[in-house]
Coordinates of all heavy atoms in Angstrom, one line a residue:
M1 N 0.8 -1.2 0.0 CA 0.0 0.0 0.0 C 0.9 1.3 0.0 O 1.9 1.4 0.7 CB -0.9 0.0 1.2 CG -2.0 1.0 1.1 SD -3.2 0.9 2.5 CE -2.4 2.0 3.7
E2 N 0.5 2.2 -0.8 CA 1.2 3.5 -0.8 C 0.6 4.4 0.2 O -0.5 4.6 0.4 CB 0.9 4.2 -2.2 CG 1.6 3.5 -3.4 CD 1.4 4.2 -4.6 OE1 0.3 3.9 -5.2 OE2 2.1 5.0 -5.1
I3 N 1.4 4.9 1.1 CA 1.1 5.8 2.2 C 1.9 7.1 2.1 O 3.0 7.0 1.7 CB 1.1 5.2 3.6 CG1 2.5 4.7 3.9 CG2 0.1 4.1 3.8 CD1 2.7 4.5 5.4
C4 N 1.3 8.1 2.5 CA 2.0 9.4 2.6 C 3.1 9.3 3.6 O 2.9 8.9 4.8 CB 1.0 10.5 3.0 SG 1.8 12.1 3.4
Q5 N 4.3 9.7 3.2 CA 5.5 9.6 4.2 C 5.7 10.8 5.1 O 6.7 11.1 5.7 CB 6.8 9.5 3.3 CG 6.9 8.2 2.4 CD 6.9 7.0 3.3 OE1 7.7 7.0 4.3 NE2 6.1 6.0 3.0
S6 N 4.5 11.4 5.3 CA 4.4 12.5 6.3 C 3.4 12.3 7.3 O 3.6 12.4 8.5 CB 4.3 13.9 5.6 OG 3.8 14.9 6.4
C7 N 2.2 12.0 6.9 CA 1.0 11.9 7.7 C 0.5 10.4 7.8 O -0.3 10.1 8.6 CB -0.1 12.7 7.3 SG -1.0 12.3 5.8
G8 N 1.0 9.5 6.9 CA 0.6 8.1 7.0 C -0.7 7.8 6.3 O -1.2 6.6 6.4
M9 N -1.3 8.7 5.6 CA -2.6 8.5 5.0 C -2.4 7.7 3.7 O -1.4 7.8 3.0 CB -3.4 9.7 4.8 CG -3.8 10.1 3.4 SD -4.9 11.5 3.3 CE -5.1 11.5 1.6
D10 N -3.4 6.9 3.3 CA -3.4 6.1 2.1 C -3.3 7.0 0.8 O -4.2 7.8 0.7 CB -4.6 5.2 2.1 CG -4.7 4.4 0.9 OD1 -3.9 4.3 0.0 OD2 -5.8 3.7 0.7
I11 N -2.4 6.8 0.0 CA -2.3 7.7 -1.2 C -2.3 6.8 -2.5 O -1.7 7.1 -3.5 CB -1.2 8.6 -1.3 CG1 0.2 7.9 -1.0 CG2 -1.4 9.8 -0.3 CD1 1.5 8.7 -1.4
S12 N -2.9 5.6 -2.4 CA -3.0 4.8 -3.6 C -3.9 5.4 -4.7 O -3.7 5.1 -5.8 CB -3.4 3.3 -3.2 OG -4.6 3.5 -2.5
K13 N -4.8 6.2 -4.4 CA -5.5 7.1 -5.4 C -4.9 8.2 -5.8 O -4.4 9.0 -5.0 CB -6.9 7.4 -4.7 CG -7.9 6.2 -4.5 CD -9.3 6.8 -4.5 CE -10.4 5.8 -4.3 NZ -10.5 5.3 -2.9
E14 N -4.9 8.4 -7.1 CA -4.2 9.6 -7.7 C -4.6 10.9 -7.1 O -3.8 11.8 -6.9 CB -4.3 9.6 -9.2 CG -3.5 8.5 -9.9 CD -3.0 9.0 -11.3 OE1 -3.5 10.0 -11.8 OE2 -2.1 8.3 -11.9
E15 N -5.9 11.0 -6.8 CA -6.4 12.4 -6.4 C -5.9 12.6 -5.0 O -6.0 13.8 -4.6 CB -7.9 12.3 -6.3 CG -8.5 11.4 -5.3 CD -9.7 10.5 -5.9 OE1 -9.6 9.8 -6.9 OE2 -10.8 10.7 -5.3
H16 N -5.4 11.7 -4.3 CA -4.8 11.9 -2.9 C -3.3 12.2 -2.9 O -2.7 12.6 -1.9 CB -5.1 10.8 -2.0 CG -6.6 10.6 -1.7 ND1 -7.1 9.4 -1.5 CD2 -7.6 11.5 -1.6 CE1 -8.4 9.6 -1.3 NE2 -8.7 10.8 -1.4
K17 N -2.7 12.1 -4.1 CA -1.3 12.3 -4.2 C -0.9 13.8 -4.2 O -1.6 14.6 -4.9 CB -0.6 11.6 -5.4 CG -0.6 10.1 -5.3 CD 0.1 9.5 -6.5 CE 0.5 8.0 -6.3 NZ -0.6 7.1 -6.3
G18 N 0.3 14.3 -3.6 CA 0.7 15.6 -3.7 C 1.3 15.8 -5.0 O 1.5 14.9 -5.8
S19 N 1.7 17.0 -5.2 CA 2.4 17.3 -6.6 C 3.8 17.8 -6.4 O 4.2 18.5 -5.5 CB 1.5 18.4 -7.3 OG 1.4 19.5 -6.4
N20 N 4.7 17.4 -7.4 CA 6.0 17.8 -7.5 C 6.1 19.2 -8.1 O 5.2 19.7 -8.7 CB 6.9 16.8 -8.2 CG 7.0 15.5 -7.5 OD1 7.2 15.4 -6.3 ND2 6.7 14.4 -8.3
A21 N 7.4 19.8 -8.1 CA 7.5 21.1 -8.7 C 7.2 21.1 -10.2 O 6.8 22.1 -10.7 CB 9.0 21.6 -8.4
D22 N 7.5 20.0 -10.8 CA 7.3 20.0 -12.2 C 5.9 19.6 -12.7 O 5.6 19.3 -13.8 CB 8.3 19.0 -12.9 CG 8.2 17.6 -12.4 OD1 7.3 17.3 -11.6 OD2 9.1 16.8 -12.8
G23 N 5.1 19.5 -11.6 CA 3.6 19.1 -11.9 C 3.2 17.7 -11.9 O 2.1 17.3 -11.9
T24 N 4.2 16.8 -11.8 CA 4.0 15.4 -11.7 C 3.5 15.0 -10.3 O 3.6 15.9 -9.4 CB 5.2 14.6 -12.0 OG1 6.3 14.9 -11.1 CG2 5.7 14.7 -13.5
L25 N 2.9 13.9 -10.2 CA 2.3 13.5 -8.9 C 3.5 12.9 -8.0 O 4.4 12.3 -8.4 CB 1.3 12.4 -9.0 CG 0.0 12.9 -9.6 CD1 -0.9 11.7 -9.9 CD2 -0.7 13.9 -8.8
S26 N 3.4 13.3 -6.8 CA 4.4 12.7 -5.8 C 4.2 11.3 -5.4 O 2.9 11.0 -5.3 CB 4.4 13.6 -4.5 OG 5.2 13.0 -3.6
V27 N 5.2 10.5 -5.4 CA 5.1 9.1 -5.0 C 5.1 8.9 -3.5 O 4.8 7.8 -2.9 CB 6.0 8.1 -5.7 CG1 5.8 8.1 -7.2 CG2 7.5 8.6 -5.5
D28 N 5.5 10.0 -2.8 CA 5.8 9.9 -1.4 C 4.8 10.6 -0.5 O 4.6 10.1 0.7 CB 7.2 10.5 -1.1 CG 8.3 9.6 -1.5 OD1 8.1 8.3 -1.6 OD2 9.4 10.1 -1.9
Y29 N 4.2 11.7 -1.0 CA 3.4 12.5 -0.1 C 2.0 12.7 -0.6 O 1.7 12.7 -1.9 CB 4.1 13.8 0.2 CG 5.5 13.6 0.8 CD1 6.6 13.9 0.1 CD2 5.6 13.1 2.1 CE1 7.9 13.8 0.6 CE2 6.8 13.0 2.7 CZ 8.0 13.3 1.9 OH 9.2 13.1 2.5
C30 N 1.1 13.0 0.3 CA -0.4 13.3 0.0 C -0.5 14.7 -0.4 O 0.3 15.6 -0.2 CB -1.3 12.9 1.0 SG -1.3 14.1 2.4
A31 N -1.7 15.0 -1.0 CA -2.0 16.4 -1.5 C -2.2 17.4 -0.3 O -2.0 18.5 -0.5 CB -3.3 16.3 -2.2
Y32 N -2.4 16.9 1.0 CA -2.5 17.9 2.1 C -1.2 18.2 2.6 O -1.0 19.3 3.1 CB -3.4 17.2 3.2 CG -4.7 16.8 2.7 CD1 -5.0 15.4 2.4 CD2 -5.7 17.6 2.4 CE1 -6.2 15.0 1.9 CE2 -6.9 17.2 1.9 CZ -7.1 15.9 1.6 OH -8.3 15.4 1.1
C33 N -0.2 17.3 2.5 CA 1.1 17.6 3.1 C 2.1 18.2 2.1 O 3.0 18.9 2.4 CB 1.8 16.2 3.5 SG 0.9 15.5 5.0
Y34 N 1.9 18.0 0.8 CA 2.9 18.3 -0.2 C 2.3 18.9 -1.4 O 1.4 18.2 -2.0 CB 3.7 17.0 -0.6 CG 5.0 17.2 -1.2 CD1 6.1 17.7 -0.4 CD2 5.3 16.8 -2.4 CE1 7.3 17.8 -0.9 CE2 6.6 16.9 -3.0 CZ 7.6 17.4 -2.2 OH 8.8 17.5 -2.8
K35 N 2.8 20.0 -1.8 CA 2.1 20.8 -3.0 C 3.2 21.4 -3.8 O 4.1 22.2 -3.2 CB 1.1 21.7 -2.4 CG 0.0 22.1 -3.4 CD -1.1 22.9 -2.8 CE -2.1 23.3 -3.8 NZ -1.9 24.6 -4.4
D36 N 3.3 21.3 -5.0 CA 4.2 22.0 -5.9 C 5.7 21.9 -5.4 O 6.5 22.8 -5.5 CB 3.9 23.5 -6.0 CG 2.5 23.7 -6.5 OD1 2.1 22.9 -7.4 OD2 1.9 24.7 -6.1
G37 N 6.0 20.7 -5.0 CA 7.3 20.3 -4.6 C 7.8 20.8 -3.2 O 9.0 20.6 -2.9
T38 N 6.9 21.3 -2.4 CA 7.3 21.7 -1.1 C 6.2 21.2 -0.1 O 5.0 21.0 -0.5 CB 7.4 23.2 -0.8 OG1 6.3 23.9 -1.4 CG2 8.7 23.8 -1.6
F39 N 6.6 21.2 1.2 CA 5.6 20.8 2.2 C 4.6 21.9 2.4 O 5.0 23.1 2.4 CB 6.3 20.5 3.5 CG 7.0 19.2 3.5 CD1 8.4 19.1 3.5 CD2 6.3 17.9 3.4 CE1 9.1 17.9 3.4 CE2 7.0 16.7 3.3 CZ 8.3 16.8 3.3
A40 N 3.3 21.5 2.4 CA 2.2 22.6 2.5 C 2.1 23.1 3.9 O 1.3 23.9 4.2 CB 1.0 21.8 2.0
N41 N 2.8 22.5 4.8 CA 2.7 23.0 6.3 C 4.0 22.8 6.9 O 4.9 22.2 6.4 CB 1.6 22.3 7.0 CG 1.9 20.7 7.0 OD1 3.0 20.4 7.6 ND2 1.1 19.9 6.4
E42 N 4.1 23.5 8.1 CA 5.3 23.5 8.8 C 5.2 22.7 10.2 O 5.8 22.9 11.1 CB 5.7 24.9 9.2 CG 6.1 25.8 8.0 CD 7.6 25.6 7.5 OE1 8.4 25.5 8.3 OE2 7.7 25.5 6.3
L43 N 4.2 21.8 10.1 CA 3.8 21.1 11.4 C 5.0 20.2 11.8 O 5.7 19.7 11.0 CB 2.5 20.3 11.1 CG 1.3 21.0 10.8 CD1 0.1 20.1 10.5 CD2 0.9 21.9 12.0
T44 N 5.1 20.0 13.1 CA 6.0 19.1 13.7 C 5.4 17.7 13.8 O 4.2 17.6 13.6 CB 6.5 19.5 15.1 OG1 5.4 19.5 15.9 CG2 7.1 20.9 15.0
L45 N 6.3 16.7 14.1 CA 5.8 15.4 14.2 C 4.7 15.3 15.3 O 3.7 14.8 15.2 CB 7.0 14.5 14.6 CG 6.6 13.0 15.0 CD1 5.9 12.3 13.8 CD2 7.8 12.3 15.3
E46 N 5.1 16.0 16.5 CA 4.1 16.1 17.5 C 2.7 16.6 17.2 O 1.7 16.1 17.6 CB 4.8 16.9 18.7 CG 4.5 16.4 20.1 CD 4.7 15.0 20.2 OE1 5.6 14.4 19.9 OE2 3.8 14.3 20.9
Q47 N 2.7 17.6 16.3 CA 1.5 18.2 15.9 C 0.7 17.3 15.0 O -0.5 17.2 15.0 CB 1.7 19.6 15.2 CG 2.0 20.6 16.2 CD 2.5 21.9 15.4 OE1 3.4 21.9 14.6 NE2 1.9 23.0 15.7
Y48 N 1.5 16.5 14.2 CA 0.8 15.4 13.4 C 0.2 14.3 14.3 O -0.9 13.8 14.0 CB 1.7 14.8 12.4 CG 1.7 15.5 11.1 CD1 2.8 16.4 10.7 CD2 0.8 15.2 10.2 CE1 2.7 17.1 9.5 CE2 0.7 15.8 8.8 CZ 1.7 16.7 8.6 OH 1.6 17.2 7.3
V49 N 0.9 14.0 15.3 CA 0.4 13.0 16.3 C -0.9 13.5 16.9 O -2.0 12.8 16.8 CB 1.3 12.7 17.3 CG1 0.8 11.9 18.5 CG2 2.7 12.1 16.8
E50 N -1.0 14.8 17.3 CA -2.2 15.3 17.9 C -3.3 15.4 16.9 O -4.5 15.0 17.2 CB -1.9 16.8 18.4 CG -1.0 16.9 19.6 CD -1.4 16.2 20.9 OE1 -2.8 16.2 21.0 OE2 -0.7 15.8 21.7
M51 N -3.0 15.6 15.7 CA -4.0 15.8 14.6 C -4.6 14.4 14.3 O -5.8 14.2 14.2 CB -3.3 16.4 13.4 CG -4.3 17.2 12.5 SD -3.4 18.3 11.5 CE -2.4 17.1 10.5
G52 N -3.7 13.5 14.3 CA -4.1 12.0 14.0 C -5.1 11.6 15.0 O -6.0 10.9 14.8
L53 N -4.8 11.9 16.3 CA -5.5 11.4 17.5 C -7.0 12.0 17.4 O -7.9 11.4 17.8 CB -4.8 11.7 18.8 CG -3.5 11.0 18.9 CD1 -2.8 11.5 20.3 CD2 -3.7 9.5 19.1
E54 N -7.0 13.3 17.0 CA -8.3 13.9 16.9 C -9.3 13.2 16.0 O -10.4 13.2 16.2 CB -8.0 15.4 16.4 CG -8.8 16.5 17.0 CD -8.4 17.8 16.5 OE1 -7.3 18.2 16.9 OE2 -9.1 18.4 15.7
Y55 N -8.7 12.6 15.0 CA -9.6 11.9 14.0 C -9.6 10.4 14.2 O -10.1 9.7 13.4 CB -9.1 12.2 12.6 CG -9.3 13.7 12.3 CD1 -8.2 14.5 12.2 CD2 -10.5 14.1 11.9 CE1 -8.3 15.9 11.9 CE2 -10.7 15.5 11.7 CZ -9.6 16.4 11.7 OH -9.7 17.7 11.3
S56 N -9.0 10.0 15.4 CA -8.9 8.5 15.6 C -10.1 8.1 16.5 O -10.2 8.4 17.7 CB -7.6 8.1 16.3 OG -7.7 6.9 17.0
P57 N -11.0 7.3 15.9 CA -12.3 6.8 16.7 C -11.7 6.0 17.9 O -12.3 6.0 19.0 CB -13.0 6.0 15.8 CG -12.4 6.1 14.4 CD -11.0 6.7 14.6
E58 N -10.7 5.3 17.7 CA -10.1 4.4 18.7 C -9.7 5.3 20.0 O -10.0 4.9 21.1 CB -8.8 3.8 18.2 CG -8.5 2.5 18.8 CD -7.1 1.9 18.4 OE1 -6.7 2.4 17.3 OE2 -6.6 1.1 19.0
Y59 N -9.0 6.3 19.7 CA -8.5 7.3 20.7 C -9.6 8.0 21.4 O -9.7 8.1 22.5 CB -7.4 8.3 20.1 CG -6.9 9.2 21.1 CD1 -5.8 8.8 21.9 CD2 -7.3 10.6 21.3 CE1 -5.2 9.6 22.8 CE2 -6.7 11.4 22.1 CZ -5.7 10.9 23.0 OH -5.2 11.8 23.9
Q60 N -10.5 8.6 20.5 CA -11.7 9.3 21.1 C -12.5 8.4 22.0 O -13.1 8.9 22.9 CB -12.4 9.9 20.0 CG -11.7 11.0 19.1 CD -11.2 12.1 19.9 OE1 -11.7 12.5 20.9 NE2 -10.1 12.7 19.5
G61 N -12.6 7.1 21.7 CA -13.5 6.2 22.4 C -12.7 5.5 23.6 O -13.3 4.8 24.3
A62 N -11.4 5.8 23.8 CA -10.7 5.2 24.8 C -11.2 5.7 26.2 O -11.5 6.8 26.4 CB -9.2 5.6 24.7
D63 N -11.3 4.6 27.1 CA -11.9 5.0 28.5 C -10.9 5.5 29.5 O -11.3 6.3 30.2 CB -12.6 3.7 29.0 CG -13.7 3.2 28.1 OD1 -14.5 4.1 27.6 OD2 -14.0 2.0 28.0
T64 N -9.8 5.0 29.4 CA -8.8 5.5 30.4 C -7.6 6.2 29.8 O -7.4 6.2 28.6 CB -8.2 4.1 31.0 OG1 -7.6 3.4 30.1 CG2 -9.3 3.3 31.7
E65 N -7.0 6.9 30.7 CA -5.8 7.7 30.3 C -4.7 6.8 29.9 O -3.9 7.1 29.0 CB -5.2 8.6 31.5 CG -6.1 9.9 31.7 CD -6.2 10.7 30.4 OE1 -5.2 11.0 29.8 OE2 -7.3 11.1 30.1
T66 N -4.6 5.7 30.6 CA -3.5 4.6 30.2 C -3.7 4.2 28.7 O -2.8 4.1 28.0 CB -3.6 3.4 31.1 OG1 -3.9 3.9 32.4 CG2 -2.4 2.5 31.1
E67 N -5.0 3.9 28.3 CA -5.3 3.5 27.0 C -5.0 4.6 26.0 O -4.4 4.4 25.0 CB -6.8 3.1 27.0 CG -7.0 2.0 25.8 CD -8.5 1.7 25.8 OE1 -9.1 1.6 27.0 OE2 -9.1 1.4 24.8
K68 N -5.4 5.8 26.3 CA -5.0 7.0 25.4 C -3.5 7.1 25.3 O -3.1 7.4 24.1 CB -5.7 8.3 26.1 CG -7.2 8.3 26.0 CD -7.7 9.7 26.2 CE -9.2 9.7 25.9 NZ -9.8 11.0 25.7
K69 N -2.8 7.0 26.4 CA -1.4 7.2 26.3 C -0.7 6.1 25.3 O 0.1 6.4 24.6 CB -0.8 7.0 27.7 CG 0.4 7.8 27.9 CD 1.0 7.7 29.3 CE 2.5 7.8 29.3 NZ 3.0 7.2 30.5
K70 N -1.3 5.0 25.4 CA -0.8 3.9 24.6 C -1.1 4.0 23.2 O -0.2 4.0 22.3 CB -1.5 2.5 25.1 CG -0.7 1.2 24.7 CD -1.4 0.0 25.2 CE -1.9 -0.8 24.1 NZ -2.9 -1.9 24.6
I71 N -2.2 4.5 22.8 CA -2.6 4.8 21.5 C -1.7 5.9 20.9 O -1.2 5.9 19.8 CB -4.1 5.1 21.3 CG1 -5.0 3.9 21.7 CG2 -4.5 5.6 19.9 CD1 -6.5 4.2 21.9
K72 N -1.5 7.0 21.8 CA -0.7 8.1 21.4 C 0.7 7.7 21.0 O 1.3 8.0 20.0 CB -0.7 9.1 22.4 CG 0.0 10.4 22.1 CD -0.2 11.4 23.2 CE 0.4 12.7 22.7 NZ 0.1 13.9 23.7
E73 N 1.3 6.7 21.9 CA 2.7 6.2 21.6 C 2.7 5.4 20.3 O 3.7 5.5 19.7 CB 3.1 5.4 22.9 CG 3.7 6.4 23.9 CD 3.8 5.7 25.3 OE1 3.7 4.5 25.4 OE2 3.9 6.5 26.3
Q74 N 1.7 4.7 20.1 CA 1.7 3.9 18.9 C 1.6 4.7 17.7 O 2.2 4.5 16.7 CB 0.5 2.9 18.9 CG 0.7 1.7 19.9 CD -0.7 1.0 20.0 OE1 -1.8 1.5 19.7 NE2 -0.6 -0.2 20.6
T75 N 0.9 5.8 17.8 CA 0.6 6.8 16.6 C 2.1 7.5 16.4 O 2.5 7.6 15.3 CB -0.4 7.8 16.9 OG1 -1.6 7.1 17.4 CG2 -0.6 8.7 15.8
R76 N 2.7 7.8 17.5 CA 4.0 8.5 17.3 C 5.0 7.5 16.7 O 5.8 8.0 15.9 CB 4.5 9.0 18.7 CG 5.7 9.9 18.6 CD 6.3 10.4 19.9 NE 5.4 11.3 20.6 CZ 4.8 11.1 21.7 NH1 5.0 9.9 22.4 NH2 4.1 12.0 22.3
A77 N 5.0 6.3 17.2 CA 6.0 5.3 16.6 C 5.7 5.1 15.2 O 6.6 5.0 14.4 CB 5.9 4.1 17.4
Y78 N 4.4 5.0 14.9 CA 4.1 4.8 13.4 C 4.6 6.0 12.5 O 5.2 5.8 11.5 CB 2.6 4.6 13.3 CG 2.0 4.6 11.9 CD1 2.3 3.5 11.0 CD2 1.2 5.6 11.5 CE1 1.8 3.5 9.8 CE2 0.7 5.6 10.2 CZ 1.0 4.5 9.4 OH 0.5 4.5 8.0
L79 N 4.2 7.2 12.9 CA 4.6 8.4 12.2 C 6.1 8.6 12.1 O 6.6 9.0 11.1 CB 3.9 9.6 12.7 CG 2.4 9.7 12.6 CD1 1.9 10.9 13.2 CD2 2.0 9.7 11.0
S80 N 6.8 8.4 13.1 CA 8.2 8.7 13.3 C 9.0 7.8 12.3 O 10.2 8.1 12.0 CB 8.7 8.5 14.6 OG 8.6 7.2 15.1
Q81 N 8.5 6.7 11.8 CA 9.3 5.8 10.9 C 9.1 6.4 9.4 O 9.7 5.8 8.4 CB 8.9 4.4 11.1 CG 7.5 4.2 10.9 CD 7.2 2.6 11.1 OE1 8.0 1.8 10.7 NE2 6.0 2.3 11.6
L82 N 8.2 7.2 9.2 CA 8.0 7.7 7.8 C 9.1 8.6 7.3 O 9.8 9.3 8.2 CB 6.6 8.6 7.7 CG 5.4 7.7 8.1 CD1 4.2 8.6 8.2 CD2 5.2 6.6 7.1
K83 N 9.3 8.8 6.1 CA 10.5 9.4 5.4 C 10.6 10.9 5.9 O 11.9 11.2 6.3 CB 10.3 9.5 4.0 CG 11.5 9.5 3.2 CD 11.3 9.1 1.7 CE 11.8 10.1 0.7 NZ 11.5 9.6 -0.6
R84 N 9.6 11.6 6.0 CA 9.8 13.0 6.4 C 10.3 13.1 7.8 O 11.2 14.1 8.0 CB 8.4 13.7 6.4 CG 8.4 15.2 6.7 CD 7.1 15.9 6.5 NE 7.2 17.3 6.9 CZ 6.3 18.3 7.0 NH1 4.9 17.7 6.7 NH2 6.3 19.4 7.2
W85 N 9.9 12.3 8.7 CA 10.4 12.4 10.1 C 11.7 11.7 10.3 O 12.5 12.1 11.2 CB 9.3 12.0 11.0 CG 8.0 12.5 10.7 CD1 6.9 11.9 10.1 CD2 7.6 13.8 10.7 NE1 6.0 12.7 9.9 CE2 6.4 13.9 10.2 CE3 8.3 15.0 11.0 CZ2 5.7 15.2 10.1 CZ3 7.7 16.3 11.0 CH2 6.4 16.3 10.5
Q86 N 12.0 10.8 9.5 CA 13.4 10.2 9.4 C 14.4 11.2 9.1 O 15.4 11.3 9.8 CB 13.4 9.0 8.5 CG 12.6 7.7 8.9 CD 13.3 7.0 10.0 OE1 14.4 6.8 10.0 NE2 12.5 6.6 11.1
E87 N 14.1 11.9 8.0 CA 15.0 13.0 7.6 C 15.2 14.1 8.6 O 16.2 14.6 8.7 CB 14.5 13.5 6.2 CG 14.8 12.6 5.0 CD 14.1 13.0 3.7 OE1 13.6 14.1 3.7 OE2 14.3 12.2 2.8
A88 N 14.1 14.4 9.3 CA 14.1 15.5 10.2 C 15.0 15.1 11.4 O 15.5 16.0 12.1 CB 12.7 15.9 10.6
A89 N 15.0 13.8 11.7 CA 15.7 13.3 12.8 C 17.2 13.3 12.6 O 18.0 13.1 13.6 CB 15.2 12.0 13.2
E90 N 17.7 13.3 11.4 CA 19.1 13.2 11.1 C 19.9 14.3 11.5 O 19.4 15.4 11.5 CB 19.3 12.8 9.7 CG 19.3 11.3 9.3 CD 19.0 11.0 7.9 OE1 19.3 11.9 7.0 OE2 18.6 10.0 7.6
Ligands
ZN1 ZN1 0.2 13.5 4.1

């Protein structure tokens, strides 16, 4: 499966792919994260984690703080292995 290397969203559909500077579709990033060859936002990994959790039914439905913390850590671990955050970490 093709996923955005910034936010982890599925980009197997062309309409979800970002665009390179030359107008071709990006193979790495989605349309929300990447536009005309540059990142469309300056968000940090931590902000992406927060954003992801906001839209996570699993997180929103979690009963305890322990469970929420666990889901948050999983989300952070998932995102931090993506290309954008690997590069940022170097
Ligand atoms: Zn994205």
Side-chain angles (χ1 to χ4, degrees):
M1 194 173 89
E2 291 177 275
I3 56 162
C4 172
Q5 293 296 314
S6 164
C7 68
M9 124 169 176
D10 177 7
I11 52 165
S12 48
K13 287 202 179 82
E14 285 210 344
E15 69 221 60
H16 293 147
K17 287 184 165 76
S19 54
N20 294 316
D22 61 5
T24 56
L25 292 174
S26 170
V27 293
D28 287 329
Y29 301 109
C30 77
Y32 306 104
C33 293
Y34 203 67
K35 204 168 179 268
D36 303 326
T38 51
F39 287 112
N41 59 62
E42 300 274 319
L43 294 176
T44 62
L45 172 62
E46 211 51 41
Q47 286 170 305
Y48 266 102
V49 172
E50 293 296 334
M51 212 160 59
L53 293 175
E54 220 172 289
Y55 295 102
S56 159
E58 203 190 346
Y59 182 80
Q60 297 301 332
D63 294 327
T64 63
E65 282 306 312
T66 319
E67 205 176 328
K68 287 196 171 194
K69 208 176 150 205
K70 202 176 111 193
I71 297 169
K72 189 172 182 176
E73 274 161 18
Q74 285 169 347
T75 306
R76 188 186 291 117
Y78 171 67
L79 289 177
S80 63
Q81 51 178 334
L82 299 173
K83 202 161 134 182
R84 183 177 181 185
W85 312 114
Q86 288 287 316
E87 281 171 7
E90 272 165 20

